[in-house]
Amino acid sequence: MPIIKADIQWKKGPKARLPQLEIGVPAITTDTLEPFVGSPNGNIQLAKQDAVEQVNQRINDIAKVNANVEVQGARGTFPVLGDRLESLSSSVAQKLNKNESGTITWAMAAQDFREQITGGNTAVVGKNAVLEINLINKAVTEKKTSFFKRGKNLFDKSTRTDGYFVNQTNGTLAASAGQTTSDFIEVDPSVNYSFLSDANTRIAYYNADKVYISGAVAPIVPVTTPLNCAFVRFSFPFSSISADVQQFEVGTTKTEYESFIGYYFDMDKMLGIKKDKLTFEVPEIMPTNNLFNVATSQDGFYVHQGNGTLVPSGGHISSDFIETLSSTQYSFVPEGNLRIVYYNDQKVFISGALNPSSPITTPSNCKFVRFSFSGLNLSPFAQKFELGSKSTPFTPYGTTIKDFLDERATDKPIINLPRILYGLVGQELNIYFDNILSTGKDTDYVFDVVCSKGQQFQDFFRITPTVAEAGLALTINVYKHNKLVTKSNHAIVVKATAVGNAITKKVLVIGDSTTANGMVVTKINENFSTDVMKVSSLGTKGTAPNKHEGISGWTARLYTTDPTSPFVFGGVFNFAQYISTNALATPDHVIINLGINDVFSFGSDPEVETKTDEMIADYNTMITSIRAFNANIKIGIALTIPPNYSQDAFAVDYGAGQTRDRYKRNNALWLQKLIRTFRNSEGSGIFLIPINASIDTRFGFESETVQVNARNSLTVTRPKANSGVHPYTPGYWQIADVYWYYLKSFEI
């Protein structure tokens, strides 16, 4: 049979339909066959007729010219070769659903043509033959892919129908105050599903055409769908079950509640697919800037600005708890009855306001907000709560499909920066463009930084803040050939020099040789020696006061499993035992800075992906143990620094053993994995520290003057030995500065 490949174009989402699917096989080659196409109106019968008539004419022309036994034998039992082609086209057409439109591009290679059309007797070479016929929409669905996942909760409360129940005897909706009914929920046949149930709960089962099959009142949970079931609807009374806690899920028991999210992309699987092995475009799921989730809102309640409790009130809508940054501006759509309340990290009430102006600034100890408004005056689908001082055009909460940014394509990089950056009044902060690219070099692109402060230079952005900023907005746009290929949005939290006055924080840094040499920890202590805030460095390595836990050449796996690891006791990573054995004080901060030795030597993306999965498991082992010892410890995940900007450094250090570009790619894939894993973990006390962005890889690694070659006395500046992945003093100081800004960011 001909080999088939798919060319899929995704148009919209988040449940991306497949408006066009092009399927092709290696093309027929013939000197005399012209390409033929279906009729432009897309009608399958006309397309088939047009194609067959054209091919018939061409094949018969060939037969007349060659008039040999081979061509005659190719007809098989058919009067003419065209009839055999007609039969094949019909067999393909019969497999298509003619009720919807799409496009197949069908082309056969010379070998396939011989085997499928002529029985292998006719050698045909030359141009391609192409047949276009209709193909149904959604021939490829979410269920038929390996890179779609479905959220646990299948009940979308935003699409429910209030004031009705589903009649279990016929599947229709019947009016009934106080009842609500789900929309059609796609299910599998003969599968167990669970949900909250009481005497007034009803369920109805439907086939693939949404034709009623059967139903039940007060069903015993779990329910089992019928053999031919494709959809269900169920209803329940608000009086006994709130839509805010209702969940419909696969399985025999109801598990912990999860908001409805529908289908979403398994990005780990998507990232495992190589672009050059695909002929289809796939979208990337990215979070929107709207923090207000309609699906988790509370209808019929407002949040009391005096105590933070919910108060029943018809027509009002209250948000769920929204995680925020402290002392940071947020915007929303104002409304006369809008209330907003601030809570600490334990969701304990701090303060509130009635009808506040937008933007608001969260209190210094705020970690969550709730707000409410009148749904009679403002649709919940028009409300927005977002970071920043200016409200932007409405976007829904959750995720949106952007143009696919292939993380392996040379012209479509990913920006490896977390959403929160750190700064300090009077101190220089740099973002070097090459450092944050997932692929290629900065010279391959044009950068446009949008920020109300700072300066954009050729290869970096620089800001030396003069005032504290709760969240200075910064956008990085990346262009190639005058086309935007990627962008990212960030906020710089800038602290005043006076914060943390008379406070001493205990800090433990775990790392490799870039920590073990002591230069970073020494500079951190020097920075704080003239600061109103102080730090105390902990660890078993180094010389007091510059203590740390850095070991040259070590990896995350060694730290978590090696018997000689300072943290491994009885074969297990045990942070509590480490503290006790070494009589150390409980740290306020633990910083983990690993990755160079872990991913350095790999030569392909799949190898790195496998290794970084293992590394994330090791990081989670460390984090779990640290938090089990003391949940108040703040854990900083340092984004591993990139290598020297020059390949010459790798020539000096590694001969021909590894290239700079390959290791830079390995480093970038690791950063992507770190950011994807921990980017929304601030509420759990885990923070990303972007030291990768702020080290000057051109001038922060040591160089020397050398003769250009043995026969030429001219000299040039080239990287010095041991400068492939190891900075020298200025580079280490830039790392220490970022730690400084990060540690100050928690203080007021």
Side-chain angles (χ1 to χ4, degrees):
M1 292 295 292
I3 300 170
I4 294 179
K5 61 181 180 179
D7 188 359
I8 307 173
Q9 294 182 352
W10 301 71
K11 298 297 185 183
K12 55 187 178 181
K15 294 185 181 179
R17 289 176 60 87
L18 311 182
Q20 180 168 315
L21 174 63
E22 294 188 357
I23 296 181
V25 244
I28 290 179
T29 54
T30 172
D31 289 325
T32 53
L33 281 179
E34 295 286 336
F36 60 94
V37 258
S39 58
N41 64 13
N43 180 280
I44 188 164
Q45 186 60 34
L46 293 178
K48 181 174 64 177
Q49 290 174 358
D50 292 346
V52 170
E53 287 173 6
Q54 293 181 51
V55 173
N56 252 336
Q57 183 60 49
R58 294 300 185 184
I59 297 297
N60 287 332
D61 288 345
I62 295 173
K64 291 177 183 178
V65 173
N66 295 289
N68 55 53
V69 176
E70 290 181 335
V71 174
Q72 293 175 15
R75 300 168 186 165
T77 60
F78 295 86
V80 293
L81 185 56
D83 287 347
R84 188 166 189 171
L85 180 60
E86 166 73 12
S87 175
L88 284 172
S89 297
S90 297
S91 67
V92 173
Q94 288 169 4
K95 295 178 181 178
L96 303 177
N97 182 334
K98 300 178 184 178
N99 295 324
E100 298 184 67
S101 62
T103 302
I104 285 184
T105 303
W106 182 25
M108 292 170 290
Q111 180 65 28
D112 294 320
F113 186 87
R114 288 196 299 272
E115 293 178 357
Q116 302 299 320
I117 306 295
T118 72
N121 295 321
T122 303
V124 187
V125 294
K127 296 182 179 178
N128 294 338
V130 180
L131 169 66
E132 283 195 3
I133 55 181
N134 281 349
L135 178 68
I136 59 169
N137 278 339
K138 296 201 75 176
V140 176
T141 66
E142 294 93 340
K143 282 189 174 183
K144 295 177 182 177
T145 66
S146 63
F147 44 80
F148 267 113
K149 282 186 177 180
R150 197 179 187 188
K152 178 175 70 174
N153 191 356
L154 309 182
F155 171 59
D156 183 359
K157 75 173 188 177
S158 68
T159 63
R160 70 185 190 269
T161 302
D162 292 341
Y164 288 84
F165 69 82
V166 61
N167 190 324
Q168 71 277 8
T169 63
N170 56 25
T172 62
L173 297 189
S176 179
Q179 298 272 337
T180 189
T181 301
S182 73
D183 200 352
F184 288 95
I185 299 174
E186 189 177 7
V187 294
D188 291 314
S190 302
V191 171
N192 289 326
Y193 290 87
S194 297
F195 57 95
L196 293 179
S197 179
D198 74 356
N200 294 305
T201 299
R202 294 171 168 85
I203 191 166
Y205 305 102
Y206 308 82
N207 67 15
D209 296 319
K210 297 181 180 176
V211 175
Y212 171 76
I213 300 171
S214 61
V217 62
I220 298 175
V221 178
V223 296
T224 303
T225 52
L227 284 172
N228 56 339
C229 184
F231 294 94
V232 304
R233 296 189 84 167
F234 71 100
S235 60
F236 53 93
F238 274 130
S239 59
S240 58
I241 305 170
S242 168
D244 296 313
V245 298
Q246 183 61 272
Q247 182 158 285
F248 187 85
E249 62 183 303
V250 177
T252 57
T253 57
K254 184 181 183 297
T255 61
E256 184 178 355
Y257 176 80
E258 178 183 285
S259 298
F260 171 84
I261 58 175
Y263 285 98
Y264 62 97
F265 277 102
D266 181 348
M267 291 310 296
D268 286 335
K269 286 191 176 180
M270 290 303 306
L271 296 177
I273 300 174
K274 289 187 176 180
K275 176 73 172 179
D276 60 4
K277 299 299 183 185
L278 299 177
T279 59
F280 60 87
E281 291 294 324
V282 228
E284 182 181 5
I285 297 294
M286 298 293 288
T288 68
N289 56 0
N290 190 357
L291 304 178
F292 171 57
N293 185 359
V294 174
T296 61
S297 63
Q298 297 265 25
D299 293 350
F301 292 88
Y302 69 80
V303 59
H304 196 290
Q305 70 275 13
N307 55 28
T309 61
L310 293 186
V311 179
S313 180
H316 280 80
I317 298 168
S318 176
S319 74
D320 199 353
F321 288 97
I322 299 173
E323 187 174 354
T324 61
L325 299 170
S326 59
S327 304
T328 300
Q329 288 186 316
Y330 289 87
S331 302
F332 50 87
V333 179
E335 186 275 321
N337 293 294
L338 191 141
R339 295 168 168 84
I340 192 161
V341 174
Y342 309 104
Y343 306 83
N344 67 14
D345 57 354
Q346 302 300 312
K347 297 182 180 176
V348 175
F349 172 76
I350 299 172
S351 61
L354 172 63
N355 195 21
S357 299
S358 178
I360 52 90
T361 300
T362 55
S364 60
N365 57 337
C366 180
K367 292 298 181 184
F368 295 93
V369 304
R370 295 189 87 162
F371 70 97
S372 61
F373 55 94
S374 171
L376 302 177
N377 299 332
L378 179 68
S379 166
F381 298 100
Q383 183 57 274
K384 188 175 188 183
F385 189 81
E386 61 181 308
L387 178 69
S389 60
K390 185 176 180 181
S391 184
T392 60
F394 177 81
T395 54
Y397 169 86
T399 55
T400 180
I401 294 184
K402 298 176 63 177
D403 292 335
F404 181 52
L405 305 177
D406 184 357
E407 300 190 4
R408 288 162 178 77
T410 57
D411 60 342
K412 291 183 178 180
I414 300 298
I415 296 175
N416 281 329
L417 266 184
R419 61 188 179 93
I420 302 299
L421 310 176
Y422 303 99
L424 185 62
V425 170
Q427 301 300 321
E428 178 182 286
L429 171 66
N430 297 299
I431 300 173
Y432 291 93
F433 301 141
D434 188 75
N435 300 16
I436 61 177
L437 291 175
S438 64
T439 187
K441 274 200 168 185
D442 55 346
T443 51
D444 298 330
Y445 307 95
V446 174
F447 293 82
D448 178 20
V449 177
V450 180
C451 187
S452 61
K453 299 177 181 179
Q455 300 168 292
Q456 180 179 334
F457 291 87
Q458 179 67 32
D459 54 351
F460 61 91
F461 170 79
R462 174 173 293 164
I463 180 172
T464 305
T466 57
V467 295
E469 300 275 1
L472 178 63
L474 179 142
T475 298
I476 301 174
N477 299 300
V478 183
Y479 295 85
K480 187 168 187 177
H481 306 311
N482 298 314
K483 179 182 178 182
L484 181 69
V485 292
T486 192
K487 67 182 295 185
S488 62
N489 298 307
H490 311 276
I492 306 175
V493 176
V494 180
K495 287 292 183 174
T497 57
V499 301
N501 186 34
I503 292 175
T504 299
K505 293 295 183 180
K506 298 177 286 296
V507 181
L508 170 65
V509 182
I510 302 170
D512 49 32
S513 57
T514 58
T515 299
N517 62 28
M519 297 186 70
V520 169
V521 174
T522 298
K523 189 59 181 176
I524 291 174
N525 285 316
E526 288 179 1
N527 287 342
F528 278 101
S529 67
T530 57
D531 199 302
V532 297
M533 176 180 163
K534 305 301 177 185
V535 296
S536 172
S537 299
L538 305 177
T540 64
K541 311 291 190 299
T543 303
N546 305 313
K547 304 292 286 185
H548 55 79
E549 209 60 73
I551 307 177
S552 294
W554 270 47
T555 64
R557 179 50 53 98
L558 287 174
Y559 269 110
T560 56
T561 64
D562 193 279
T564 64
S565 167
F567 301 98
V568 172
F569 299 87
V572 177
F573 186 99
N574 189 327
F575 191 78
Q577 188 65 45
Y578 162 79
I579 294 292
S580 174
T581 299
N582 297 291
L584 298 176
T586 298
D588 299 293
H589 296 272
V590 173
I591 295 173
I592 303 173
N593 181 17
L594 296 165
I596 294 176
N597 303 301
D598 305 73
V599 302
F600 180 84
S601 61
F602 293 109
S604 70
D605 285 7
E607 291 176 296
V608 179
E609 292 288 353
T610 299
K611 180 60 180 179
T612 55
D613 285 341
E614 175 189 286
M615 294 169 68
I616 291 298
D618 292 330
Y619 268 53
N620 282 327
T621 295
M622 290 188 270
I623 291 168
T624 299
S625 183
I626 293 168
R627 299 196 66 73
F629 168 69
N630 190 314
N632 294 320
I633 296 175
K634 294 178 174 62
I635 301 173
I637 305 296
L639 296 181
T640 312
I641 61 170
N644 194 309
Y645 191 82
S646 174
Q647 167 61 31
D648 291 354
F650 277 63
V652 172
D653 285 351
Y654 313 113
Q658 180 61 293
T659 66
R660 183 264 180 193
D661 284 353
R662 181 63 253 179
Y663 170 62
K664 174 63 164 56
R665 175 64 179 162
N666 297 352
N667 170 270
L669 290 173
W670 166 230
L671 297 183
Q672 288 173 29
K673 187 67 66 70
L674 277 177
I675 293 171
R676 285 202 307 271
T677 303
F678 299 111
R679 61 185 168 191
N680 295 315
S681 299
E682 294 89 350
S684 300
I686 303 170
F687 305 85
L688 293 168
I689 312 176
I691 62 172
N692 66 308
S694 298
I695 182 170
D696 188 340
T697 59
R698 287 177 172 87
F699 303 106
F701 291 72
E702 196 167 9
S703 59
E704 62 183 346
T705 301
V706 297
Q707 192 169 314
V708 294
N709 58 56
R711 296 297 186 182
N712 193 324
S713 61
L714 292 176
T715 59
V716 293
T717 300
R718 286 208 175 108
K720 199 172 183 179
N722 198 36
S723 66
V725 297
H726 297 92
Y728 83 125
T729 303
Y732 283 119
W733 286 4
Q734 287 180 309
I735 296 172
D737 286 345
V738 179
Y739 286 154
W740 182 19
Y741 312 157
Y742 164 74
L743 293 170
K744 292 272 285 186
S745 73
F746 297 96
E747 308 307 325
I748 57 175

